Amino acid sequence: MQFLASEDLQRLLTASLAARRHSHSPYSRYAVGAAVLDEQGVVHAGCNIENAAFPQGWCAEATALGAMVMAGGKRAMAVLVSGPGPDIITPCGGCRQKLREFGDDNLLVIAADPSGVKQTWTLGDLLPASFGPSHMTHNHREPA
Ligand code: THU
């Protein structure tokens, strides 16, 4: 498992909980925040943004990864996702795959709620035997 400095954990928790307060979740009333630590040590945050046309909403992790990309971050080292509790939040399947685009098996995935950090996994725990960018780097085309 990757090492995470306690200051970085605290920055992620603060940013994720602050982002959660921006959640646009009038339909589920399940507010989520996410904060991603990039390879430069910069934190990028986002919330879930729902839509009256339900399938058009998206998760907090997607907003945070978009913020990271737009700020020039290349790699996700850790992500802290915060939900309302009491059940421990865990990224949905689609978000695990989105995280995989910018992180490897060692990416730390931390679950929290307003009372603090609840559980930590690696992305490898949550998305084993994943399909990732390296699958696309080889000449994989079938002959015509
Ligand atoms: N949600 C997230 O934003 N991230 C997660 O990790 C789990 C679920 C959102 C999607 C939807 O807006 C609400 O939580 C209820 O599913």
Side-chain angles (χ1 to χ4, degrees), residues 7-82:
E7 308 89 79
D8 288 334
L9 179 61
Q10 192 53 53
R11 287 197 299 142
L12 286 171
L13 181 62
T14 301
S16 182
L17 291 174
R20 187 173 173 269
R21 290 195 283 276
H22 291 286
S23 170
H24 176 72
S25 45
Y27 308 108
S28 72
R29 303 221 161 262
Y30 191 90
V32 183
V36 175
L37 181 72
D38 76 14
E39 80 287 355
Q40 307 281 358
V42 180
V43 171
H44 310 275
C47 62
N48 57 332
I49 303 176
E50 297 181 350
N51 191 283
F54 290 172
Q56 301 303 326
W58 66 89
C59 290
E61 293 90 327
T63 308
L65 285 171
M68 182 188 86
V69 170
M70 286 307 296
K74 303 291 179 208
R75 302 293 296 164
M77 313 308 290
V79 57
L80 190 147
V81 185
S82 56

Side-chain angles (χ1 to χ4, degrees), residues 85-100:
D87 287 358
I88 295 172
I89 192 168
T90 172
C92 77
C95 284
R96 295 175 194 201
Q97 187 66 43
K98 288 184 176 75
L99 290 164
R100 177 68 183 86

